[in-house]
Amino acid sequence: MRAFFTQKSRNMKSNILFLVLFVANISFSCSNNNQIDQNSSKSEISYIPEWSQKVIWYQIFVERFRNGDTSNDPTANDIIGTYPDSIPGNWHITAWGSDWYKPDDYFSKSPLPSKWDNLQLRRYGGDLQGVIDKLDYIQSLGITAIYFNPLNDSPSLHKYDPRNWRHIDRNFGPDPVKDLEMINDENPGDPDTWEWTTADNLFLDLVKKCHERGIKVIMDYSWNHTGSEFWAFKDIQEKGEKSEFADWFEINSFDDPATEKNEFSYDGWAGVQYMPEMKKDLLGSHDDVPLEGNLHSENAKQHIFNITKRWLDPNNDGDPSDGVDGYRLDVAEKIPIGFWRDYRKVVKDINPEAYLVGEIWWKSWPDELMLPTYYLQGDMFDATMNYRWYRPVRHFFADAPEIMKPSEFVEDLKDKLQGIDEGRLQAMMNLVSSHDAPRISTSLYNNGKYKYKAKPWENQDYKIDKPDEKTRKIQEMLLIHQYTFIGAPHIWYGDEVGMWGSDDPCTRKPMVWEDIVYEDEKAHPFNQKRKIDKVELDTSLLGFYKKLIQIRKTNQSLMFGDIEFSLIDDENRTLAYNRVLESNEVVVAFNKSESNKVLNIPVNNSGIFYNALNKEQKYKAENGILKIELEFTKAIILIFEGNL
């Protein structure tokens, strides 16, 4: 579709630039100059699930969310076969409420060169029962969709290096020993032999409980690589080129049994040998965007399709209501687009309402983000994780890495929206933090370049303590933007209760709960002096999130309305936009300056607007202008109530 910015003619000060973005007409012509029909039926491959345009996402990293069953906690044997793969004899589960930077007692016994490498060895025992126990909390927050980080059976804490794709991790379910026995009795290459383990069944019960609460569920998979403990890869290690799976992976050379040297060599994702890559047939270079081609092995593709079908329709009765509601697909740009086109057909044939969201991130880290438009033409993904939206948003609200003018912010947003049709913009997953990026509060507290030297051992000046009140004000402004802009808002577990943390692994701290006692954070990774921070649930911030979620869910214009940037004032550092759907209008205004400002905001309706965060506060719009006074470092949401 076609989106554009136009300048409104207003009798206002010349230093104010008025621009309008009509999202309903959305702009920027797609790369192939074709328009996607937003009224396409469910039978058409380009169909976007409407629910994905309305949801509030909540991302859960199960290992760090809640330990609901201590009997299934990982043992040292459960974590063999992943980085750092050096497990001290006195290794044990870490106490949930312990000071994050305080070394565990086994750190001193570890041979790893840096004691902080041992953070990847930590396990806290989070499991699916813990998620089930907290579904009331998730529902009370207002969440309507859960995105689970990988659940497949894996020795790591992150699960992106699976031993197999077909089963839920043994330590996430009630009986790890029984599950391992069942897994070992199967033929992993033959779906007819696959059973449902206790962990599998608990996950299906969790899906059912979520659906009963009106909560969608999507799973996270990486079809680009497996773990080095993956069953097919281990078969290759044992049998060499005689393995029936020898063509599944990017093998450079097989071992020659006649020599003492092990010549076995393969490609790992990003050079990581714990994550062997699937073999691809490329029509061009590895550096092309997008990658043209497909996965090399048809058998590997069919295995992936069988895994996908397994969770979409578990009882295989043609009714997908008992299955998951879609997939988040890791490092999607590393897989040729021929595969993604085939994959979408498989998924949509089973459930047209299934949502496919791709991780399309870096073209050249840390400076250039990848254009997602190639993947959003209706034949691959419904949306992508919208990192491209967050970078200018962080830049503007946090002055990170330098001050950005309101007009520059609007132009940058325009650039980031370019080439994406309206329906997919509405379905984008607008995230401000994740398992792969610093938590929102810490990201705003440190105003360096986005995701660059964002860990204390990469930058000793990086602030690891609890963010200050100034940061809280910035965070609230940014959240108001997130919940009033086009795209589905996303929460990384714990952000809503005030958790803080630098980039991976410190963004993956255990969730903060009211019924757990936490040690103060006072340890520093370099034994430097730091302020002592109390770790506790931030009820004020939690209440703020709940209000924003409710505001978005009860105002269709925030999901589907046009966007008009009605006030852009570089001199006063103020900004406003209007979300308009038929006669409904929501005005969102920001004061980025250091003093209170009077804003004269052009509106479509004359009459009363009320403050959505304080309904007793009302304003009158006359002659197409809504005049308000706004405090510094503040934002406001004003909803049209009615005519005078």
Side-chain angles (χ1 to χ4, degrees):
M1 301 182 71
R2 197 174 58 84
F4 53 89
F5 280 65
T6 61
Q7 185 169 346
K8 278 190 176 180
S9 175
R10 297 279 183 181
N11 184 21
M12 305 284 284
K13 291 162 62 174
S14 61
N15 67 331
I16 300 177
L17 177 64
F18 291 94
L19 298 174
V20 179
L21 168 60
F22 290 103
V23 173
N25 292 324
I26 270 195
S27 122
F28 331 112
S29 53
C30 299
S31 57
N32 62 5
N33 293 320
N34 289 331
Q35 295 186 1
I36 299 172
D37 181 8
Q38 293 311 300
N39 297 314
S40 58
S41 70
K42 292 183 183 181
S43 63
E44 295 177 0
I45 196 68
S46 62
Y47 174 74
I48 307 163
E50 185 177 340
W51 67 261
S52 68
Q53 300 162 330
K54 298 178 179 179
V55 296
I56 308 295
W57 288 103
Y58 194 75
Q59 182 183 348
I60 295 179
F61 197 87
V62 171
E63 213 284 319
R64 300 294 163 83
F65 189 67
R66 177 81 174 184
N67 189 342
D69 181 359
T70 57
S71 71
N72 64 13
D73 287 354
T75 66
N77 286 335
D78 291 320
I79 65 173
I80 292 172
T82 188
Y83 179 83
D85 210 14
S86 179
I87 306 169
N90 62 336
W91 180 91
H92 56 80
I93 291 288
T94 302
W96 198 273
S98 59
D99 183 354
W100 176 256
Y101 286 109
K102 184 178 74 174
D104 293 63
D105 54 6
Y106 63 80
F107 281 22
S108 62
K109 304 289 186 181
S110 171
L112 295 171
S114 168
K115 66 180 179 181
W116 300 113
D117 289 340
N118 289 288
L119 290 175
Q120 300 290 352
L121 268 178
R122 279 185 178 167
R123 301 293 186 276
Y124 290 84
D127 49 38
L128 292 178
Q129 187 59 52
V131 179
I132 291 172
D133 292 345
K134 288 299 180 180
L135 284 179
D136 284 347
Y137 166 79
I138 294 170
Q139 185 176 20
S140 72
L141 184 56
I143 299 304
T144 51
I146 296 174
Y147 148 33
F148 282 105
N149 278 104
L151 300 170
N152 49 211
D153 193 38
S154 160
S156 71
L157 67 95
H158 52 73
K159 311 300 177 191
Y160 286 102
D161 54 351
R163 291 178 283 232
N164 68 76
W165 281 320
R166 68 191 186 278
H167 290 299
I168 301 299
D169 188 84
R170 61 193 68 169
N171 297 112
F172 288 168
D175 196 337
V177 174
K178 181 180 179 180
D179 286 359
L180 180 57
E181 292 173 354
M182 295 176 70
I183 292 169
N184 289 338
D185 285 343
E186 297 172 344
N187 176 353
D190 181 4
D192 290 337
T193 70
W194 298 350
E195 301 289 342
W196 295 100
T197 65
T198 66
D200 296 342
N201 282 316
L202 188 62
F203 176 64
L204 293 179
D205 184 50
L206 169 57
V207 171
K208 180 180 178 182
K209 291 179 185 300
C210 286
H211 286 172
E212 289 171 349
R213 295 165 183 262
I215 298 173
K216 302 288 187 180
V217 174
I218 69 168
M219 301 176 78
D220 190 349
Y221 272 105
S222 178
W223 307 127
N224 176 71
H225 53 265
T226 68
S228 57
E229 294 293 303
F230 193 78
W231 60 272
F233 188 75
K234 290 179 73 68
D235 191 82
I236 297 170
Q237 289 178 307
E238 177 186 347
K239 300 175 183 176
E241 55 190 323
K242 294 181 180 179
S243 169
E244 62 180 297
F245 312 108
D247 65 343
W248 281 31
F249 295 89
E250 293 283 4
I251 308 296
N252 300 316
S253 62
F254 293 96
D255 181 39
D256 182 356
T259 68
E260 293 185 5
K261 181 182 177 182
N262 186 350
E263 294 90 356
F264 184 55
S265 172
Y266 58 93
D267 291 343
W269 173 75
V272 178
Q273 294 296 287
Y274 289 100
M275 296 181 176
E277 281 198 291
M278 304 298 285
K279 187 173 183 178
K280 296 127 186 172
D281 292 331
L282 299 181
L283 305 175
S285 165
H286 281 275
D287 297 324
D288 290 347
V289 179
L291 291 175
E292 295 280 357
N294 214 313
L295 290 188
H296 173 76
S297 168
E298 187 62 31
N299 286 336
K301 280 180 61 177
Q302 290 305 316
H303 182 72
I304 291 170
F305 295 162
N306 286 331
I307 304 296
T308 301
K309 295 173 184 177
R310 175 176 171 84
W311 297 113
L312 284 172
D313 186 6
N315 61 6
N316 197 31
D317 66 349
D319 177 4
S321 61
D322 57 337
V324 299
D325 302 288
Y327 293 99
R328 181 266 188 187
L329 299 157
D330 189 55
V331 292
E333 83 282 357
K334 297 298 183 183
I335 298 180
I337 59 178
F339 171 83
W340 289 129
R341 290 182 177 126
D342 294 341
Y343 190 76
R344 184 176 182 88
K345 292 174 184 176
V346 169
V347 170
K348 296 294 184 176
D349 184 59
I350 298 169
N351 184 4
E353 289 288 346
Y355 173 72
L356 295 177
V357 57
E359 182 197 35
I360 306 294
W361 201 349
W362 295 104
K363 182 177 181 182
S364 177
W365 177 85
D367 295 315
E368 189 175 1
L369 295 168
M370 189 171 291
L371 283 168
T373 50
Y374 307 104
Y375 304 92
L376 298 173
Q377 300 301 310
D379 57 350
M380 285 181 266
F381 304 125
D382 296 305
T384 61
M385 300 180 75
N386 207 357
Y387 292 103
R388 282 175 58 82
W389 161 81
Y390 179 62
R391 190 153 78 164
V393 167
R394 175 180 179 268
H395 190 167
F396 176 64
F397 287 106
D399 299 331
E402 68 273 319
I403 292 175
M404 176 184 254
K405 298 175 182 178
S407 61
E408 293 171 333
F409 175 51
V410 173
E411 284 299 314
D412 208 344
L413 284 178
K414 170 187 174 181
D415 176 68
K416 298 302 183 287
L417 299 177
Q418 187 171 359
I420 305 172
D421 66 272
E422 177 186 0
R424 284 173 175 75
L425 283 175
Q426 292 164 349
M428 295 290 266
M429 186 183 283
N430 284 358
L431 70 166
V432 296
S433 56
S434 75
H435 62 291
D436 278 337
R439 288 193 172 273
I440 177 176
S441 60
T442 300
S443 174
L444 302 177
Y445 191 35
N446 293 271
N447 67 341
K449 185 182 291 187
Y450 171 60
K451 201 173 158 57
Y452 178 69
K453 294 186 176 180
K455 307 177 186 181
W457 33 88
E458 294 176 349
N459 174 9
Q460 292 198 19
D461 293 326
Y462 197 85
K463 293 179 284 190
I464 62 171
D465 57 317
K466 180 179 180 179
D468 56 19
E469 285 303 313
K470 177 183 177 182
T471 302
R472 168 59 68 84
K473 288 185 175 183
I474 294 170
Q475 182 175 349
E476 289 180 354
M477 278 199 300
L478 189 151
L479 289 173
I480 285 174
H481 170 67
Q482 181 188 22
Y483 282 83
T484 60
F485 199 64
I486 188 169
H490 161 287
I491 300 172
W492 170 231
Y493 82 92
D495 278 353
E496 79 279 9
V497 296
M499 289 180 65
W500 64 89
S502 64
D503 208 347
D504 171 28
C506 304
T507 189
R508 304 173 182 179
K509 295 178 183 178
M511 176 68 174
V512 174
W513 298 109
E514 281 186 309
D515 62 345
I516 295 177
V517 176
Y518 295 83
E519 296 177 354
D520 292 342
E521 278 202 13
K522 57 185 179 181
H524 191 282
F526 307 112
N527 297 317
Q528 296 176 7
K529 186 177 180 180
R530 59 166 288 183
K531 78 175 193 288
I532 297 174
D533 291 312
K534 188 173 181 60
V535 178
E536 60 185 350
L537 188 144
D538 187 332
T539 56
S540 175
L541 184 61
L542 177 60
F544 188 71
Y545 269 89
K546 287 182 176 180
K547 287 181 179 179
L548 290 178
I549 290 170
Q550 184 64 15
I551 290 167
R552 185 172 183 91
K553 289 169 69 174
T554 54
N555 287 276
Q556 291 276 312
S557 56
L558 296 179
M559 306 170 197
F560 301 110
D562 300 351
I563 301 178
E564 302 174 2
F565 280 89
S566 49
L567 174 64
I568 303 172
D569 187 341
D570 287 348
E571 181 177 308
N572 288 301
R573 301 194 72 193
T574 56
L575 172 72
Y577 54 79
N578 307 14
R579 300 299 309 271
V580 181
L581 182 65
E582 298 176 346
S583 62
N584 299 302
E585 184 172 15
V586 179
V587 176
V588 190
F590 306 88
N591 180 3
K592 279 279 281 100
S593 76
E594 297 179 356
S595 61
N596 295 358
K597 299 292 182 182
V598 174
L599 282 64
N600 291 290
I601 306 169
V603 292
N604 295 277
N605 291 288
S606 291
I608 301 300
F609 286 76
Y610 67 88
N611 182 349
L613 292 166
N614 179 7
K615 293 184 179 180
E616 299 301 315
Q617 193 175 61
K618 300 188 178 185
Y619 299 86
K620 183 188 299 184
E622 296 179 300
N623 300 319
I625 296 294
L626 179 62
K627 183 177 181 180
I628 66 170
E629 183 174 356
L630 190 57
E631 293 180 33
F632 63 94
T633 323
K634 282 285 188 179
I636 192 170
I637 305 169
L638 298 167
I639 299 176
F640 179 63
E641 185 175 60
N643 296 320
L644 293 172

